């Protein structure tokens, strides 16, 4: 139906661990889902974070947010961002065109 359903199908979500007012900081990613789709989405996210500046900044921001499991968490969240982008592109029947930087420096 939407990008969240695709992410859950791929297994790019976390379990919720809470009881009453307690909410756990360290939760595990779900193990269900299509392992092949998850693998390729995470690999694609790793490549995109290295090639696209916006995805690289997002990865670094998420990496710095937590003290544990930094790389895995940041990579899965980057994959979620990639899933959102792919979902929008497919729904709108568009091709991906990266944003261009405009240099306003006069020289």
């Amino acid at each position: 139906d939407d990008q969240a359903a695709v992410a859950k199908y791929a297994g790019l979500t976390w379990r919720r661990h809470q009881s009453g007012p307690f909410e756990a900081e360290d939760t595990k990613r779900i193990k269900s889902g299509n392992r092949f789709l998850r693998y390729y989405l995470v690999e694609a996210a790793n490549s995109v974070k290295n090639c696209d500046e916006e995805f690289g900044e997002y990865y670094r921001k998420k990496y710095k947010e937590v003290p544990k499991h930094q790389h895995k968490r940041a990579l899965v969240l980057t994959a979620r961002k990639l899933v959102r982008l792919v979902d929008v592109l497919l729904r709108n029947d568009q091709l991906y065109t990266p944003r261009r930087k405009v240099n306003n420096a006069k020289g």
Side-chain angles (χ1 to χ4, degrees), residues 102-107:
V102 178
N103 229 350
N104 290 335
K106 296 180 181 179

Side-chain angles (χ1 to χ4, degrees), residues 9-24:
Y9 177 73
L12 297 175
T13 59
W14 284 266
R15 289 190 180 131
R16 193 156 180 207
H17 187 243
Q18 57 109 156
S19 175
F22 170 77
E23 180 98 27

Side-chain angles (χ1 to χ4, degrees), residues 27-54:
T27 56
K28 296 186 184 276
R29 188 182 42 78
I30 63 171
K31 294 198 181 210
S32 62
N34 187 319
R35 67 178 191 224
F36 299 108
L37 180 59
R38 177 175 50 246
Y39 172 80
Y40 287 114
L41 285 172
V42 171
E43 286 296 312
N46 193 34
S47 294
V48 168
K49 83 169 173 67
N50 293 331
C51 298
D52 188 276
E53 192 174 309
E54 182 179 340

